[in-house]
Protein backbone atom coordinates (compact mmCIF):
# COMPACT_ATOMS: atom_id res chain seq x y z
CA UNK A 1 0.00 0.00 0.00
CA UNK A 2 2.81 2.43 0.82
CA UNK A 3 4.27 2.06 -2.67
CA UNK A 4 1.20 3.76 -4.14
CA UNK A 5 2.09 7.05 -2.37
CA UNK A 6 5.48 7.35 -4.13
CA UNK A 7 4.16 8.89 -7.40
CA UNK A 8 2.34 11.50 -5.32
CA UNK A 9 5.57 12.42 -3.52
CA UNK A 10 7.42 12.73 -6.85
CA UNK A 11 4.70 15.01 -8.21
CA UNK A 12 4.87 17.24 -5.13
CA UNK A 13 8.68 17.39 -5.42
CA UNK A 14 8.47 18.41 -9.09
CA UNK A 15 5.95 21.16 -8.26
CA UNK A 16 8.15 22.49 -5.44
CA UNK A 17 11.27 22.51 -7.65
CA UNK A 18 9.36 24.29 -10.43
CA UNK A 19 8.11 26.90 -7.98
CA UNK A 20 11.62 27.51 -6.61
CA UNK A 21 13.02 27.89 -10.14
CA UNK A 22 10.26 30.33 -11.09
CA UNK A 23 10.86 32.45 -8.00
CA UNK A 24 14.59 32.37 -8.64
CA UNK A 25 14.13 33.46 -12.26
CA UNK A 26 11.94 36.41 -11.28
CA UNK A 27 14.34 37.42 -8.51
CA UNK A 28 17.34 37.30 -10.83
CA UNK A 29 15.64 39.53 -13.38
CA UNK A 30 14.66 42.03 -10.69
CA UNK A 31 18.08 42.29 -9.08
CA UNK A 32 20.52 41.34 -11.84
CA UNK A 33 18.61 41.79 -15.10
CA UNK A 34 19.23 44.55 -17.66
CA UNK A 35 18.39 48.04 -16.41
CA UNK A 36 15.24 49.65 -17.69
CA UNK A 37 15.53 51.70 -20.87
CA UNK A 38 13.91 55.11 -20.47
CA UNK A 39 12.58 57.16 -23.36
CA UNK A 40 13.90 60.68 -23.93
CA UNK A 41 11.44 63.40 -22.95
CA UNK A 42 10.80 66.60 -24.86
CA UNK A 43 12.07 69.62 -22.93
CA UNK A 44 11.24 72.37 -25.41
CA UNK A 45 10.00 72.92 -28.94
CA UNK A 46 10.17 75.75 -31.45
CA UNK A 47 6.85 74.86 -33.04
CA UNK A 48 6.92 77.33 -35.92
CA UNK A 49 10.16 75.78 -37.21
CA UNK A 50 9.65 72.19 -36.10
CA UNK A 51 12.71 72.04 -33.82
CA UNK A 52 12.58 69.79 -30.73
CA UNK A 53 14.90 69.57 -27.73
CA UNK A 54 14.98 66.30 -25.74
CA UNK A 55 16.47 65.63 -22.33
CA UNK A 56 19.07 63.21 -23.71
CA UNK A 57 20.96 66.11 -25.29
CA UNK A 58 24.04 67.51 -23.56
CA UNK A 59 24.02 70.74 -21.57
CA UNK A 60 26.01 72.44 -24.33
CA UNK A 61 23.48 71.49 -26.99
CA UNK A 62 20.62 72.61 -24.75
CA UNK A 63 22.30 76.00 -24.38
CA UNK A 64 22.65 76.30 -28.16
CA UNK A 65 18.99 75.40 -28.56
CA UNK A 66 18.09 78.25 -26.21
CA UNK A 67 20.22 80.64 -28.29
CA UNK A 68 18.47 79.44 -31.46
CA UNK A 69 15.08 79.99 -29.86
CA UNK A 70 16.09 83.56 -29.04
CA UNK A 71 17.27 84.22 -32.61
CA UNK A 72 14.03 82.87 -34.09
CA UNK A 73 11.82 84.82 -31.69
CA UNK A 74 12.90 88.14 -33.22
CA UNK A 75 10.95 89.90 -35.95
CA UNK A 76 12.42 89.97 -38.48
CA UNK A 77 14.72 86.98 -38.04
CA UNK A 78 18.37 87.66 -38.83
CA UNK A 79 18.97 84.82 -41.29
CA UNK A 80 22.75 85.05 -41.11
CA UNK A 81 22.68 84.60 -37.34
CA UNK A 82 20.13 81.82 -37.82
CA UNK A 83 22.30 79.92 -40.30
CA UNK A 84 25.41 80.35 -38.15
CA UNK A 85 23.66 78.91 -35.12
CA UNK A 86 22.20 75.87 -36.87
CA UNK A 87 25.61 75.23 -38.46
CA UNK A 88 27.14 75.10 -34.97
CA UNK A 89 24.34 72.87 -33.72
CA UNK A 90 24.59 70.50 -36.65
CA UNK A 91 28.38 70.15 -36.42
CA UNK A 92 28.26 69.55 -32.67
CA UNK A 93 25.33 67.11 -32.77
CA UNK A 94 26.40 65.14 -35.85
CA UNK A 95 30.15 64.81 -35.25
CA UNK A 96 29.95 64.22 -31.47
CA UNK A 97 29.38 60.48 -31.07
CA UNK A 98 29.90 60.00 -27.33
CA UNK A 99 26.27 60.84 -26.47
CA UNK A 100 24.77 58.62 -29.17
CA UNK A 101 23.07 55.39 -28.10
CA UNK A 102 23.65 53.40 -31.32
CA UNK A 103 24.67 53.71 -34.97
CA UNK A 104 21.06 54.60 -35.81
CA UNK A 105 21.05 57.53 -33.36
CA UNK A 106 22.26 60.02 -35.96
CA UNK A 107 22.70 63.61 -34.79
CA UNK A 108 21.72 66.80 -36.57
CA UNK A 109 18.64 65.43 -38.32
CA UNK A 110 16.48 68.42 -37.28
CA UNK A 111 18.45 70.53 -39.73
CA UNK A 112 18.37 68.30 -42.82
CA UNK A 113 16.27 69.22 -45.86
CA UNK A 114 13.30 66.84 -45.98
CA UNK A 115 13.86 65.37 -49.45
CA UNK A 116 17.45 64.29 -48.67
CA UNK A 117 16.90 63.11 -45.09
CA UNK A 118 16.49 59.41 -45.92
CA UNK A 119 19.68 59.32 -47.99
CA UNK A 120 21.53 61.31 -45.34
CA UNK A 121 20.60 58.81 -42.62
CA UNK A 122 21.59 55.83 -44.73
CA UNK A 123 24.97 57.32 -45.58
CA UNK A 124 25.66 58.30 -41.97
CA UNK A 125 24.87 54.83 -40.64
CA UNK A 126 27.12 53.24 -43.27
CA UNK A 127 30.06 55.58 -42.71
CA UNK A 128 30.68 57.89 -39.74
CA UNK A 129 28.25 56.10 -37.38
CA UNK A 130 29.02 52.58 -38.60
CA UNK A 131 31.09 51.42 -35.61
CA UNK A 132 29.17 53.15 -32.81
CA UNK A 133 28.39 50.43 -30.26
CA UNK A 134 24.99 50.24 -28.58
CA UNK A 135 24.73 52.10 -25.28
CA UNK A 136 21.04 51.78 -24.45
CA UNK A 137 21.92 50.45 -20.97
CA UNK A 138 24.70 53.02 -20.30
CA UNK A 139 27.38 50.34 -20.11
CA UNK A 140 29.47 51.15 -23.20
CA UNK A 141 33.26 51.46 -22.77
CA UNK A 142 33.99 52.70 -26.31
CA UNK A 143 35.98 55.93 -26.67
CA UNK A 144 34.13 58.25 -29.03
CA UNK A 145 34.69 61.83 -30.26
CA UNK A 146 33.17 64.99 -28.79
CA UNK A 147 33.31 68.24 -30.74
CA UNK A 148 35.07 71.06 -28.89
CA UNK A 149 35.61 74.46 -30.54
CA UNK A 150 33.54 75.37 -33.62
CA UNK A 151 34.60 78.24 -35.89
CA UNK A 152 32.39 79.72 -38.60
CA UNK A 153 34.94 80.70 -41.26
CA UNK A 154 32.55 82.40 -43.70
CA UNK A 155 28.90 82.78 -44.69
CA UNK A 156 27.88 83.65 -48.25
CA UNK A 157 24.59 83.74 -50.11
CA UNK A 158 24.54 81.78 -53.32
CA UNK A 159 22.27 80.13 -55.87
CA UNK A 160 21.78 76.42 -55.27
CA UNK A 161 19.84 73.85 -57.29
CA UNK A 162 18.60 70.59 -55.77
CA UNK A 163 16.13 68.25 -57.43
CA UNK A 164 13.79 70.43 -59.45
CA UNK A 165 14.17 73.37 -57.06
CA UNK A 166 16.48 76.37 -57.27
CA UNK A 167 17.09 78.63 -54.28
CA UNK A 168 18.72 81.88 -55.41
CA UNK A 169 19.23 82.98 -51.78
CA UNK A 170 20.78 79.84 -50.29
CA UNK A 171 23.58 80.04 -47.74
CA UNK A 172 27.01 78.46 -48.09
CA UNK A 173 28.84 78.15 -44.77
CA UNK A 174 32.51 77.28 -44.31
CA UNK A 175 33.13 75.81 -40.84
CA UNK A 176 35.96 74.17 -38.92
CA UNK A 177 36.11 72.46 -35.53
CA UNK A 178 38.30 70.59 -33.07
CA UNK A 179 37.72 67.63 -30.74
CA UNK A 180 38.12 67.43 -26.98
CA UNK A 181 40.45 64.41 -27.31
CA UNK A 182 43.60 64.56 -29.48
CA UNK A 183 43.03 60.88 -30.37
CA UNK A 184 40.50 62.15 -32.90
CA UNK A 185 42.70 64.80 -34.52
CA UNK A 186 42.67 62.79 -37.76
CA UNK A 187 38.86 62.88 -37.94
CA UNK A 188 37.07 65.32 -40.25
CA UNK A 189 37.48 68.85 -38.90
CA UNK A 190 36.17 71.15 -41.63
CA UNK A 191 33.23 71.21 -44.03
CA UNK A 192 31.15 73.28 -46.40
CA UNK A 193 27.42 73.30 -45.65
CA UNK A 194 24.74 74.61 -47.99
CA UNK A 195 21.39 75.60 -46.50
CA UNK A 196 18.26 76.24 -48.57
CA UNK A 197 14.90 77.74 -47.73
CA UNK A 198 12.17 75.27 -46.86
CA UNK A 199 9.30 77.68 -46.35
CA UNK A 200 10.49 79.92 -43.46
CA UNK A 201 13.01 77.32 -42.32
CA UNK A 202 16.64 76.96 -43.41
CA UNK A 203 17.57 73.34 -44.07
CA UNK A 204 20.84 71.59 -44.88
CA UNK A 205 20.78 70.38 -48.48
CA UNK A 206 24.46 69.60 -49.02
CA UNK A 207 27.40 68.67 -46.80
CA UNK A 208 30.89 68.36 -48.20
Amino acid sequence: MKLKKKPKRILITIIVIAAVLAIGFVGYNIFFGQPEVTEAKVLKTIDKYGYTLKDNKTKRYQDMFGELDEILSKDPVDEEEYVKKITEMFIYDFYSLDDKTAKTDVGGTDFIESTVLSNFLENAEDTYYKYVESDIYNQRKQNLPIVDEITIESVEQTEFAYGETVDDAAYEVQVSWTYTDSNFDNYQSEATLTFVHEDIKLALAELK
Side-chain angles (χ1 to χ4, degrees):
M1 295 293 293
K2 290 182 180 179
L3 291 176
K4 292 182 181 180
K5 294 182 180 179
K6 192 171 182 180
K8 190 174 181 181
R9 284 198 213 100
I10 293 172
L11 180 61
I12 293 171
T13 302
I14 292 172
I15 292 171
V16 170
I17 292 172
V20 170
L21 288 174
I23 292 169
F25 178 78
V26 172
Y28 179 85
N29 278 280
I30 291 173
F31 294 104
F32 302 104
Q34 294 286 11
E36 185 180 352
V37 179
T38 57
E39 281 190 25
K41 297 178 182 178
V42 175
L43 295 178
K44 191 173 186 179
T45 60
I46 306 176
D47 294 329
K48 192 174 180 181
Y49 290 81
Y51 297 129
T52 301
L53 175 65
K54 294 184 178 180
D55 65 357
N56 60 350
K57 294 298 185 184
T58 66
K59 174 65 165 57
R60 182 177 174 187
Y61 187 88
Q62 291 181 30
D63 289 342
M64 287 192 283
F65 192 94
E67 293 163 1
L68 176 63
D69 190 18
E70 186 176 341
I71 290 169
L72 296 178
S73 66
K74 295 178 180 178
D75 187 17
V77 171
D78 185 330
E79 281 201 337
E80 186 166 325
E81 289 304 307
Y82 174 22
V83 79
K84 285 180 180 179
K85 185 53 60 181
I86 60 176
T87 295
E88 291 178 9
M89 294 174 74
F90 173 80
I91 294 300
Y92 179 78
D93 198 27
F94 181 76
Y95 290 98
S96 293
L97 299 180
D98 188 66
D99 62 329
K100 305 306 185 290
T101 57
K103 63 174 286 186
T104 54
D105 184 18
V106 178
T109 55
D110 271 359
F111 310 109
I112 304 299
E113 198 275 328
S114 58
T115 64
V116 301
L117 178 58
S118 177
N119 188 57
F120 171 80
L121 288 170
E122 184 178 344
N123 287 338
E125 291 171 23
D126 288 343
T127 55
Y128 191 65
Y129 281 70
K130 186 174 183 178
Y131 299 107
V132 176
E133 297 172 3
S134 175
D135 192 34
I136 58 174
Y137 300 118
N138 297 311
Q139 296 174 339
R140 183 175 61 203
K141 304 298 182 184
Q142 188 180 19
N143 188 27
L144 294 168
I146 302 171
V147 171
D148 191 10
E149 297 293 327
I150 303 170
T151 304
I152 304 296
E153 305 290 352
S154 66
V155 178
E156 295 181 2
Q157 279 202 289
T158 183
E159 182 180 286
F160 185 79
Y162 59 105
E164 298 180 357
T165 304
V166 177
D167 187 343
D168 58 6
Y171 287 90
E172 184 178 276
V173 184
Q174 302 280 346
V175 60
S176 62
W177 62 94
T178 60
Y179 296 95
T180 58
D181 188 335
S182 60
N183 287 326
F184 302 104
D185 284 350
N186 62 334
Y187 276 45
Q188 183 177 351
S189 59
E190 59 182 17
T192 301
L193 288 67
T194 303
F195 291 88
V196 297
H197 291 85
E198 201 170 33
D199 195 11
I200 63 170
K201 185 177 180 179
L202 288 171
L204 182 60
E206 184 177 73
L207 170 66
K208 59 181 181 180

